[in-house]
Amino acid sequence: MPIVIGFEGSANKIGIGIVRDGEVLSNPRRTYVTPPGQGFLPGDTARHHRSCVLTVLREALEEAGLKPQDIDAVAFTKGPGMGAPLVTVAIVARTVAQLWGKPLLGVNHCVGHIEMGRLVTGAKNPTVLYVSGGNTQVIAYSEHRYRIFGETIDIAVGNCLDRFARVLKISNDPSPGYNIEQMAKKGQKLVELPYTVKGMDVSFSGILSHIEDVAHRMLSAGQCTPEDLCFSLQETLFAMLVEITERAMAHTGSSEALIVGGVGCNERLQEMMGIMCRERGARLFATDERFCIDNGAMIAQAGWEMFRSGQVTALEDSWITQRYRTDEVEVTWRD
Amino acid sequence: MAGSNSKARPVEADPSGCPPPMEGLQLIQQGAEARLYRGQFLGRPTVMKLRFPKRYRHPTLDERLSHKRTAQEARSLLRCRRAGISAPVVYFVDYVANCIYLEDVVGSLTVRDYIISQQQSGEGTSSLILLAEKIGEILARMHDEDLVHGDLTTSNMLLRPPVENLELMLVDFGLSFISTLPEDKGVDLYVLEKAFLSTHPNTEALFEALLKKYSAASKKSIPVIKKLDEVRLRGRKRSMVG
């Protein structure tokens, strides 16, 4: 019955979670929120994580009712992500692992999302849509790798939404995507935007430049409301995502879809994906914001799988990397 | 289009419960963006590809996409055949219902299924290399016509019977477009590379043979391959946060 603690801090969330055999014992988290119109910078984000990582760690242990000696392994995000926040959290993970005399596990952030999604939803072998601020990938498992069938060829969908939010000065609290989603519910008019699907790949940068270009002009001319723009952007981006997921499902013959990553808690995206799945006799699996958005338990869960299959990360290999593709990881825990 | 049943699981009952658009047609599969039916049209074996409304999409967006793709598919199939690239014959296009009536190539096999069966039989590495070269050649011809497929996968290439002759045919031109830009052709190859290597693990050598033949056969390959290298770096080295 191994118990694994997971440290996550690759972007603007810092989370520490504890998992025992598929059971999440605790999963506290803090988010670094920037003023409207601004994104989060690596240095400031790292400073935020540094200031609260020990509080979050204490919360995680107390909530789980565990002492350091009860933990069997310490998992941390090795990458991908922003350098400074990754380093900050890795240092803490390395330190406690040595203090407590426990093995380290360097986890790929994307694999963490997939394993958490599989655990929470019970999906067996799903086609995974992984959508967040920095990632947009359609992934399916085969022969010990999570293989990337489709992805963005420029920016991530969450990045497109975040940057659009900055154009309209939409609040970053609790997240720009959440506020766009609420505004989109009041949108009526579909503004025509570019739609760029290339096989199982997508491109968002053209849509962003286009909407940045026309937004203020259309708004001041009274041709549409900010809500209409949010609505049109969501409808267009999400239609593209559902389309490439369906393409990958058709190509691999898969009958399960799983949405993970921060954008995955958008209910309109889940609704659209659900309709697509129903129309082709497949099942949709999705999770809510506790597990979709970056958290510590997902790193603990992927670490638990690695630990169970005999993997550990030596101290000298416990460095972090900003670029770490999902398909670089050898998945030793699945057949 | 016949035999391309690997693009989806065989469909027993239409999950949406819609009747076929013409009597006597039989639903054979639900691909990613269309339903395929098989039957007779003016006495010929025919595959009918229906772009049915996708209810997850906004109706305005859906109609815009379905109409554009139906028109583009018909246009590109004709362009291929005019250029001597093997593709199914277009019998009829219904722009109101967004469906195309195409030649049914009875007994054809997708390249995807062919590669998998050759790999399973443990033999045929040399025939697979030959197949990869044939793919490279046909794509070079297509790109030299300034036709970009937009959705190249091994499911969208068929082998005419008898399959041992490796006579290739291209299908599914819904995302295709005309472009002279090396960037567009490079992305076309990049899309294929990813689909190829993720569908058929450990086939890097095959894809290399494909590209080598492409480079040799295409008159405009140098800037395209250069762009392909650039696009690959965009995918791999892009910083990925979150």
Side-chain angles (χ1 to χ4, degrees), chain B residues 134-185:
Chain B
K134 293 243 180 187
I135 298 172
E137 209 174 342
I138 199 168
L139 295 184
R141 270 228 308 278
M142 185 183 77
H143 281 176
D144 282 358
E145 290 293 319
D146 294 329
L147 184 56
V148 177
H149 185 281
D151 185 20
L152 288 172
T153 65
T154 48
S155 301
N156 290 343
M157 302 170 187
L158 304 183
L159 289 169
R160 278 184 190 274
V163 293
E164 303 77 47
N165 292 358
L166 300 181
E167 235 185 283
L168 270 175
M169 201 166 70
L170 297 176
V171 296
D172 285 354
F173 281 89
L175 298 181
S176 66
F177 56 100
I178 304 297
S179 168
T180 56
L181 295 179
E183 161 87 18
D184 290 326
K185 296 173 188 174

Side-chain angles (χ1 to χ4, degrees), chain A residues 10-306:
Chain A
S10 60
N12 68 336
K13 285 93 179 169
I14 166 107
I16 300 174
I18 301 177
V19 166
R20 175 178 58 203
D21 300 330
E23 189 190 347
V24 178
L25 301 177
S26 62
N27 199 16
R29 169 172 70 198
R30 297 281 189 286
T31 304
Y32 172 50
V33 177
T34 49
Q38 286 178 31
F40 51 92
L41 300 169
D44 301 336
T45 311
R47 209 164 294 126
H48 166 267
H49 290 0
R50 247 189 334 262
S51 71
C52 58
V53 58
L54 294 179
T55 318
V56 180
L57 175 57
R58 193 170 303 119
E59 273 176 29
L61 286 168
E62 277 170 10
E63 213 180 292
L66 294 174
K67 301 215 161 34
Q69 61 263 33
D70 303 325
I71 306 283
D72 293 296
V74 178
F76 68 99
T77 308
K78 187 177 181 63
M82 281 185 163
L86 278 173
V87 169
T88 304
V89 176
I91 287 171
V92 178
R94 244 178 256 142
T95 308
V96 298
Q98 289 179 88
L99 281 173
W100 302 343
K102 308 293 180 187
L104 275 166
L105 299 158
V107 172
N108 178 298
H109 180 85
C110 317
V111 172
H113 273 296
I114 299 172
E115 292 308 337
M116 197 68 206
R118 287 179 62 221
L119 172 69
V120 172
T121 64
K124 290 280 170 293
N125 186 20
T127 298
V128 183
L129 175 68
Y130 171 28
V131 275
S132 66
N135 288 282
T136 304
Q137 296 180 335
V138 180
I139 301 159
Y141 174 81
S142 109
E143 296 188 27
H144 299 289
R145 301 263 166 189
Y146 284 114
R147 298 188 190 267
I148 302 171
F149 279 77
E151 65 186 314
T152 171
I153 60 171
D154 39 58
I155 58 173
V157 62
N159 192 239
C160 184
L161 288 166
D162 291 355
R163 285 161 72 176
F164 167 72
R166 281 179 231 163
V167 173
L168 292 196
K169 297 271 192 314
I170 293 171
S171 166
N172 289 328
D173 186 14
S175 73
Y178 178 81
N179 293 322
I180 291 175
E181 182 180 356
Q182 303 318 312
M183 285 173 73
K185 287 178 183 165
K186 295 181 209 113
Q188 305 267 321
K189 184 180 160 194
L190 186 79
V191 176
E192 188 170 332
L193 297 170
Y195 186 98
T196 325
V197 167
K198 295 169 189 293
M200 287 182 270
D201 287 347
V202 284
S203 157
F204 298 119
S205 63
I207 301 174
L208 181 65
S209 327
H210 179 85
I211 205 163
E212 280 173 346
D213 186 39
V214 302
H216 290 301
R217 216 180 322 136
M218 287 186 79
L219 289 174
S220 51
Q223 288 167 322
C224 66
T225 64
E227 285 77 14
D228 290 338
L229 286 176
C230 292
F231 170 71
S232 307
L233 186 63
Q234 276 201 173
E235 289 300 309
T236 308
L237 296 180
F238 295 168
M240 291 164 60
L241 294 174
V242 175
E243 178 171 353
I244 59 167
T245 308
E246 181 167 24
R247 233 168 248 281
M249 289 172 77
H251 186 67
T252 58
S254 159
S255 58
E256 290 181 337
L258 169 67
I259 313 179
V260 300
V263 181
C265 56
N266 186 300
E267 288 175 359
R268 176 61 184 147
L269 174 60
Q270 293 186 4
E271 180 188 33
M272 289 167 74
M273 197 67 92
I275 297 171
M276 179 276 280
C277 285
R278 261 203 313 285
E279 280 185 349
R280 57 181 304 107
R283 276 188 75 189
L284 170 67
F285 296 88
T287 60
D288 60 32
E289 47 84 31
R290 288 170 302 164
F291 301 112
C292 256
I293 297 175
D294 294 350
N295 62 87
M298 66 183 233
I299 301 303
Q301 173 61 16
W304 182 87
E305 292 277 16
M306 290 166 72

Side-chain angles (χ1 to χ4, degrees), chain B residues 169-229:
Chain B
M169 201 166 70
L170 297 176
V171 296
D172 285 354
F173 281 89
L175 298 181
S176 66
F177 56 100
I178 304 297
S179 168
T180 56
L181 295 179
E183 161 87 18
D184 290 326
K185 296 173 188 174
V187 170
D188 216 21
L189 294 177
Y190 175 71
V191 163
L192 174 64
E193 178 176 41
K194 272 221 322 284
F196 200 103
L197 298 180
S198 51
T199 314
H200 312 289
N202 311 317
T203 52
E204 281 78 4
L206 276 186
F207 196 78
E208 210 157 292
L210 187 160
L211 278 186
K212 211 172 141 200
K213 189 69 186 181
Y214 176 91
S215 308
S218 163
K219 290 183 278 272
K220 310 170 185 171
S221 67
I222 294 167
V224 175
I225 298 293
K226 213 175 128 214
K227 275 289 172 191
L228 170 63
D229 290 336

